[in-house]
Amino acid sequence: MFFVFMSILSVNAQQVFTETDSYYQKGEEYKVIENDGIVLIANLNQVKQYGKYYQISLIIENATDTRFEFDPSLITGKYITNKREKKEKCAVVFSYEDYARKARKRINTASALAGIGIGLQSFSTAPTSTVTYSDNTGYRSNLNVYNQYEKNRQIQDLADRASEAEYQSREFVESMKDNYLLRETMFPETSLAGYIFLKYEKCDAVDVVISLAGNDYKLSWTFEKENEEPKKDGVDDIYRFE
C-alpha cells in the first residue's frame, strides 16, 4: 500500500524544466526552454510605466497535438536579495487588472495635481505680456502689462492640455490589454506572445516560474552588478507643461 501511494505521488508531481538555450537580438537576451513540443522564450526588462516594474516578455508555442490552458495567475516569482546567504522573498506579480487599477490611481493623482496647479495659476496677477513704450525724445521703456483676456486664454490652454494628457494616459492603459498576458487556451500548433509585470525591487536575481500543461518552467535572471534603476524611458505619471 505504501509503495502504491508513493507511485501516485510520483505521477502527480510536477516536473520543473529550466533554460535549454539563450540568444541575443538587438542587444537583448532571450532565454529558451523547450520540452516535448512546448517552447517558451522569455526576456526581462526594467521599465518605469506608472510605477517601477520588471517586464517579463513571453512567447509560448504549443507544437503538441493537445491543448492546454495558460493562466497568468499561476505565474510566481522570487527576488533573491542576497545570493551568498540565499535570502529570498516572494515577488509581486501583477495581473492586467491589478496594474490598470494602480496606473489609473496614479493618473487620477496626477490629474488632481494638474488641476490644483491650474487653479493657482488663475489667481496669479503676474504680467502676461510686455509692451515697449517710446516717445518723441527717444526715451524707451518696457512696461509689464496684465491682460485678463490673455490670462484666461493661457489658463484654458493649460486646462485643455491637462485634459488631453489625462485622456491619452487612460487610453494608453486601456490599450495595454491587447499585449498584456491574459488567460488563453493554447490549441495545438498555436503560439501566444505578450508580457506581464512584476513589482520592481532591488535584488541580486529574479526567478520566475510559469506553469504550463501540468509542469513548471523556471527562468532565472542574475544581475551582474548591483541592480540598476529602471530605464528612464517610459511613461511619466506626472503631467508637465513647459
Side-chain angles (χ1 to χ4, degrees), residues 58 69-77 91-98 180-184 196 209-212:
L58 295 174
E69 295 292 316
F70 166 72
D71 188 350
S73 69
L74 299 180
I75 296 176
T76 59
V92 178
V93 182
F94 289 94
S95 66
Y96 171 76
E97 290 75 16
D98 293 335
Y180 210 90
L181 287 170
L182 305 173
R183 186 166 183 171
E184 194 88 18
I196 196 167
V209 176
I210 300 162
S211 295
L212 292 174

Side-chain angles (χ1 to χ4, degrees), residues 19 22-25 27-31 42-44 221:
E19 180 180 341
S22 66
Y23 65 92
Y24 285 85
Q25 183 174 353
E28 298 283 344
E29 182 186 19
Y30 291 82
K31 295 178 179 291
N43 165 257
L44 178 145
W221 286 273

Side-chain angles (χ1 to χ4, degrees), residues 29-67:
E29 182 186 19
Y30 291 82
K31 295 178 179 291
V32 181
I33 302 178
E34 187 171 2
N35 166 50
D36 197 22
I38 295 177
V39 180
L40 190 150
I41 303 172
N43 165 257
L44 178 145
N45 273 306
Q46 299 175 35
V47 297
K48 181 179 181 183
Q49 198 160 280
Y50 303 112
K52 298 177 182 179
Y53 306 95
Y54 292 109
Q55 177 178 294
I56 310 295
S57 299
L58 295 174
I59 299 174
I60 303 171
E61 297 180 0
N62 180 14
T64 71
D65 57 1
T66 59
R67 75 180 197 180

Side-chain angles (χ1 to χ4, degrees), residues 204-238:
D204 292 334
V206 172
D207 289 347
V208 174
V209 176
I210 300 162
S211 295
L212 292 174
N215 295 311
D216 287 341
Y217 295 77
K218 182 179 179 181
L219 296 151
S220 298
W221 286 273
T222 300
F223 303 107
E224 295 180 358
K225 55 184 178 180
E226 185 178 355
N227 204 352
E228 298 176 350
E229 286 294 315
K231 296 179 180 178
K232 294 185 180 299
D233 56 331
V235 180
D236 203 345
D237 48 23
I238 299 295

Side-chain angles (χ1 to χ4, degrees), residues 161-200:
R161 292 166 67 183
S163 178
E164 179 64 19
E166 180 180 358
Y167 172 78
Q168 291 182 359
S169 295
R170 294 186 184 280
E171 285 292 296
F172 175 81
V173 173
E174 293 300 322
S175 69
M176 285 182 62
K177 193 172 184 179
D178 294 334
N179 297 309
Y180 210 90
L181 287 170
L182 305 173
R183 186 166 183 171
E184 194 88 18
T185 298
M186 298 290 298
F187 291 97
E189 303 301 326
T190 62
S191 61
L192 173 68
Y195 57 80
I196 196 167
F197 284 167
L198 274 65
K199 182 180 178 182
Y200 172 81

